[in-house]
Amino acid sequence: MSVPVENSKDIRLGDGQTKVFPFSFVVTDKTQIHVVRVKADKTQIKLPAGSFEITLKDSGIGGSIEYPVLEGDNDILKEGEKIIIYRNTDLLSDFAPQNGETFDPASIMKAVDKLTLQNQEQAEAINRAVKTDMTGDMQPEEVLNSI
């Protein structure tokens, strides 16, 4: 596989009826999927695993979550609320080639893909951060305090 999309997060709006929310980023394992519900009053609730059902596309690019999962649960995402579906790739490396053995191209590609996913997640976080001029004296904390 390669990683043909750059995003690692999708935001979907509630309408009081929809229970299935698509996402469009690369996922290699369901454990990478995390979901935050944002209420109309901006309260954020990280949904626990098991409160939503994950379906992955066979291609590894995208899928959907179903929330809420329980039949009869009337806690459907209401109008004015949103759900944030994001990927969080673990930072551990399971690539351990042995001396004197050939390198398996598939395992090399898997390791490179994992690094790409991690870099995408870091880029998304950095894009939300307060930035200052690298030659300036002002620290990001000072910028935030001045707002």
Side-chain angles (χ1 to χ4, degrees):
M1 181 175 77
S2 64
V3 183
V5 295
E6 292 185 17
N7 65 314
S8 61
K9 167 182 90 174
D10 283 318
I11 299 173
R12 302 291 180 224
L13 302 177
D15 62 7
Q17 298 176 31
T18 302
K19 288 180 63 175
V20 177
F21 301 92
F23 59 88
S24 59
F25 47 84
V26 173
V27 178
T28 58
D29 188 87
K30 287 183 177 182
T31 61
Q32 293 175 302
I33 299 292
H34 298 269
V35 180
V36 174
R37 180 178 182 167
V38 182
K39 298 264 192 176
D41 66 0
K42 307 290 186 221
T43 303
Q44 295 184 18
I45 304 163
K46 185 166 186 332
L47 300 180
S51 65
F52 54 92
E53 178 83 22
I54 303 166
T55 303
L56 300 179
K57 291 185 177 176
D58 291 338
S59 66
I61 304 169
S64 63
I65 64 146
E66 181 180 351
Y67 172 79
V69 176
L70 300 175
E71 281 299 319
D73 188 344
N74 61 358
D75 200 19
I76 290 178
L77 205 63
K78 297 166 186 64
E79 198 167 319
E81 295 184 338
K82 59 185 169 183
I83 203 160
I84 301 169
I85 308 163
Y86 66 98
R87 182 188 65 228
N88 187 15
T89 305
D90 70 84
L91 298 177
L92 302 174
S93 174
D94 54 1
F95 182 65
Q98 301 299 312
N99 284 335
E101 293 184 10
T102 60
F103 287 108
D104 173 33
S107 64
I108 294 170
M109 181 59 85
K110 182 180 173 186
V112 171
D113 286 350
K114 184 174 182 178
L115 290 171
T116 302
L117 299 180
Q118 292 167 340
N119 286 335
Q120 288 176 342
E121 292 160 18
Q122 291 171 356
E124 192 278 329
I126 289 168
N127 286 337
R128 289 184 283 111
V130 176
K131 299 177 187 99
T132 59
D133 186 350
M134 69 185 316
T135 61
D137 294 332
M138 188 172 246
Q139 297 298 312
E141 295 81 17
E142 293 174 284
V143 175
L144 285 174
N145 290 337
S146 70
I147 297 176

